[in-house]
């Protein structure tokens, strides 16, 4: 009798922790609020079918198809807020991100609906607020993903009182809270690293990224550049004779004291979660913090020394686009230089074979090597040997000299990005 009661309690516990899929919810008598809500195609809101280009957090995606705003366009799910999984890693963030990805990747159709009769943006003015509907394979009905995230305990509600589906959001949150699901329960997130940071080199992270994905790590490097709320770090590796680079995202909330520690030329120790940031196509450390009241806290940013210089590794374009032989513990590996030097500083002299149109703030040059591929160079300005400014068009078919950071480009072309401009040796 006691054993039987114990088994039933165990089964109930397991069921409570399982994702509340439609079939389970129907058989258990728990309302499937995301499935019960109907999409009214005749309402006054805007509705556009889209495809997903990239996934960010559980509540943010980048889509194609919303060309009346921009294409591609960033969609921020309205009415809900999932834990962070990109710029900062929070408990249940990766689970929420994967939940969104799995639902949308397997959908036959995805629709974005506006809250009113026009597209509205969030506080950044760069992201469109929208309700995300998807139609699973084999189904004729659309499901509301915003509400599904809430009822699964993977998102909290956000300013829902006056929203068109606000009452359903409130009911979904109450249901998740009553069931003790994820954000509303006592169980820890099995995918979140609650422990101490693992001390590791940048080289180790770059050569074995999968072994550290999602883990809290600490590493040291010299700050070489700030860009888009991130810093680039690099560290010399005597064994290979190369500098290995890495991006570290500090976001919007780092204190002024923390930003001073991250000044270019400082060697620093950073602590955060190691992850692959899909929209930027880059491995990075995220979640950097500095608390002035606890300067020696193990997770704090830490200044090691000042007055360091970027390496500006000298390399020819031909070598840059070739492979490098590297001795590792796993044996001798042949790895593209573009992979090894990613996020590190380089110096190159090459011929600009083509200029491409770009923003007014940047020049964009393409350097093509016969049979070897192309290198794209982004620079805010160019000057000749006497320091006189040169127009972008005048650079075509001329030799240029560039000091920059190696970064991936979205169309597969390797790019060198510089904030210091390029010189025109001729």
């Amino acid at each position: 009798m006691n054993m039987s009661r114990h088994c039933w309690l165990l089964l109930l516990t397991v069921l409570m922790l399982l994702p509340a899929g439609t079939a389970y919810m129907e058989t258990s008598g728990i309302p499937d609020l995301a499935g019960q809500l109907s999409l009214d195609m005749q309402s006054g809101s805007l509705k556009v079918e889209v495809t997903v280009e990239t996934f960010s957090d559980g509540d943010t995606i980048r889509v194609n198809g919303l060309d009346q705003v921009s294409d591609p366009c960033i969609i921020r799910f309205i009415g809900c807020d999932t834990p962070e999984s990109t710029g900062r890693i929070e408990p249940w963030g990766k689970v929420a991100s994967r939940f969104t990805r799995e639902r949308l990747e397997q959908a036959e159709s995805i629709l974005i609906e506006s809250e009113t009769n026009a597209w509205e943006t969030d506080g950044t003015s760069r992201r469109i607020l929208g309700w995300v509907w998807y139609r699973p394979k084999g189904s004729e009905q659309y499901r509301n993903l915003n509400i599904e995230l809430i009822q699964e305990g993977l998102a909290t509600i956000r300013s829902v009182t006056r929203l068109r589906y606000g009452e359903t959001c409130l009911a979904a949150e109450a249901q998740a809270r009553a069931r003790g699901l994820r954000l509303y329960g006592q169980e820890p997130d099995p995918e979140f690293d609650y422990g101490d940071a693992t001390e590791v080199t940048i080289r180790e992270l770059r050569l074995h990224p999968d072994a550290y994905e999602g883990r809290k790590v600490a590493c040291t490097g010299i700050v070489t550049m700030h860009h888009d709320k991130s810093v680039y770090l690099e560290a010399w590796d005597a064994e290979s004779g190369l500098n290995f680079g890495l991006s570290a995202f500090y976001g919007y909330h780092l204190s002024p004291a923390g930003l001073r520690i991250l000044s270019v030329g400082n060697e620093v120790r950073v602590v955060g979660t190691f992850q692959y940031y899909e929209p930027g196509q880059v491995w990075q450390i995220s979640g950097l913090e500095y608390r002035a009241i606890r300067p020696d806290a193990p997770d704090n940013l830490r200044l090691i020394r000042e007055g360091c210089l970027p390496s500006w590794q000298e390399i020819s374009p031909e070598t840059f686009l070739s492979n490098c032989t590297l001795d590792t513990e796993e044996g001798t590996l042949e790895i593209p230089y573009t992979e090894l030097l990613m996020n590190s500083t380089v110096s190159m002299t090459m011929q600009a074979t083509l200029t491409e149109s770009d923003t007014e703030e940047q020049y964009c040059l393409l350097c093509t090597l016969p049979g070897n591929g192309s290198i794209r160079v982004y620079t805010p300005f160019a000057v000749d040997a006497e320091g006189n400014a040169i127009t972008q068009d005048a650079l075509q078919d001329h030799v240029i000299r560039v000091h920059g950071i190696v970064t991936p480009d979205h169309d597969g072309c390797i790019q060198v990005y510089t904030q210091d401009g390029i010189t025109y040796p001729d």
Side-chain angles (χ1 to χ4, degrees):
M1 184 70 175
N2 289 338
M3 178 61 70
S4 177
R5 182 173 180 272
H6 174 75
C7 291
W8 276 110
L9 287 173
L10 179 61
L11 176 60
L12 180 60
T13 301
V14 171
L15 289 174
M16 289 289 284
L17 293 175
L18 287 174
T22 306
Y24 165 67
M25 297 188 81
E26 289 176 352
T27 57
S28 66
I30 300 171
D32 177 22
L33 301 173
Q36 291 177 356
L37 189 66
S38 297
L39 173 60
D40 183 2
M41 297 299 292
Q42 306 305 315
S43 69
S45 61
L46 303 177
K47 303 169 192 69
V48 177
E49 187 169 16
V50 300
T51 57
V52 179
E53 183 177 276
T54 56
F55 295 87
S56 297
D57 294 326
D59 55 21
T60 309
I61 56 177
R62 189 181 179 94
V63 303
N64 290 305
L66 210 67
D67 50 5
Q68 58 266 62
V69 178
S70 65
D71 203 8
C73 175
I74 301 175
I75 302 297
R76 175 64 170 82
F77 294 20
I78 194 172
C80 69
D81 193 7
T82 64
E84 297 289 321
S85 65
T86 51
R88 187 170 72 251
I89 306 295
E90 296 176 333
W92 300 109
K94 288 200 167 191
V95 179
S97 181
R98 186 171 62 251
F99 186 91
T100 292
R101 176 190 287 271
E102 289 176 351
R103 294 308 187 270
L104 297 185
E105 281 186 340
Q106 298 172 15
E108 289 191 350
S109 174
I110 302 168
L111 292 176
I112 306 299
E113 180 184 16
S114 65
E115 169 62 19
T116 64
N117 60 358
W119 298 112
E120 300 173 350
T121 60
D122 67 355
T124 69
S125 298
R126 296 185 298 108
R127 303 185 296 185
I128 299 298
L129 292 169
W131 297 99
V132 180
W133 297 82
Y134 72 97
R135 181 162 57 82
K137 290 181 180 178
S139 174
E140 297 182 357
Q141 301 295 322
Y142 280 89
R143 295 177 60 81
N144 188 294
L145 185 54
N146 309 49
I147 291 168
E148 190 169 15
L149 285 164
I150 298 170
Q151 79 178 18
E152 290 288 345
L154 291 171
T156 55
I157 56 176
R158 182 174 183 174
S159 304
V160 301
T161 306
R162 299 183 180 180
L163 297 182
R164 63 174 57 233
Y165 306 123
E167 290 185 5
T168 308
C169 289
L170 289 168
E173 192 249 7
Q175 182 186 95
R177 190 180 295 278
R179 298 180 65 200
L181 289 178
R182 299 179 173 111
L183 289 172
Y184 302 104
Q186 300 300 315
E187 292 294 324
D189 176 5
E191 297 187 36
F192 183 75
D193 188 352
Y194 293 92
D196 296 331
T198 300
E199 297 285 344
V200 68
T201 64
I202 293 180
R203 168 190 159 124
E204 175 68 11
L205 292 173
R206 292 301 319 284
L207 293 182
H208 306 97
D210 292 339
Y212 297 93
E213 183 174 14
R215 292 174 59 182
K216 185 188 294 184
V217 299
C219 66
T220 62
I222 295 169
V223 179
T224 58
M225 189 171 71
H226 281 249
H227 178 63
D228 199 18
K229 302 300 179 182
S230 298
V231 292
Y232 289 100
L233 307 172
E234 67 180 13
W236 173 254
D237 175 57
E239 184 178 345
S240 63
L242 295 173
N243 270 287
F244 284 84
L246 187 67
S247 172
F249 180 80
Y250 56 79
Y252 298 87
H253 307 295
L254 188 63
S255 68
L259 289 173
R260 284 193 294 272
I261 291 175
L262 291 178
S263 296
V264 172
N266 285 351
E267 184 177 12
V268 299
R269 177 182 182 271
V270 299
V271 181
T273 304
F274 188 65
Q275 60 170 347
Y276 184 72
Y277 178 54
E278 183 176 323
Q281 300 178 15
V282 64
W283 288 96
Q284 67 177 18
I285 292 178
S286 65
L288 277 58
E289 294 182 350
Y290 182 75
R291 289 161 291 190
I293 59 174
R294 296 183 61 203
D296 296 326
D299 290 351
N300 255 9
L301 276 171
R302 190 174 304 165
L303 174 64
I304 297 175
R305 59 186 173 124
E306 300 175 307
C308 305
L309 295 174
S311 65
W312 303 123
Q313 300 171 88
E314 187 70 41
I315 190 168
S316 70
E318 291 79 11
T319 301
F320 182 69
L321 294 173
S322 66
N323 292 334
C324 172
T325 300
L326 189 67
D327 291 326
T328 70
E329 293 180 357
E330 294 80 23
T332 301
L333 303 177
E334 191 168 300
I335 306 174
Y337 267 107
T338 52
E339 250 182 62
L340 291 177
L341 299 178
M342 191 64 64
N343 298 149
S344 67
T345 59
V346 295
S347 293
M348 280 192 280
T349 300
M350 50 191 162
Q351 185 167 2
T353 55
L354 179 68
T355 61
E356 300 179 335
S357 61
D358 200 48
T359 66
E360 295 181 358
E361 291 78 21
Q362 290 190 110
Y363 291 177
C364 181
L365 312 173
L366 191 66
C367 306
T368 304
L369 281 69
N372 283 341
S374 300
I375 304 170
R376 183 172 285 125
V377 177
Y378 284 102
T379 178
F381 62 89
V383 296
D384 61 19
E386 285 74 40
N388 301 312
I390 305 170
T391 64
Q392 177 170 316
D393 292 341
L395 289 166
Q396 185 166 327
D397 297 324
H398 282 279
V399 174
I400 63 172
R401 177 77 172 157
V402 59
H403 301 292
I405 302 282
V406 181
T407 62
D409 208 352
H410 294 296
D411 61 2
C413 180
I414 297 298
Q415 71 180 36
V416 177
Y417 177 83
T418 175
Q419 295 175 331
D420 299 326
I422 62 174
T423 55
Y424 184 26
D426 294 339

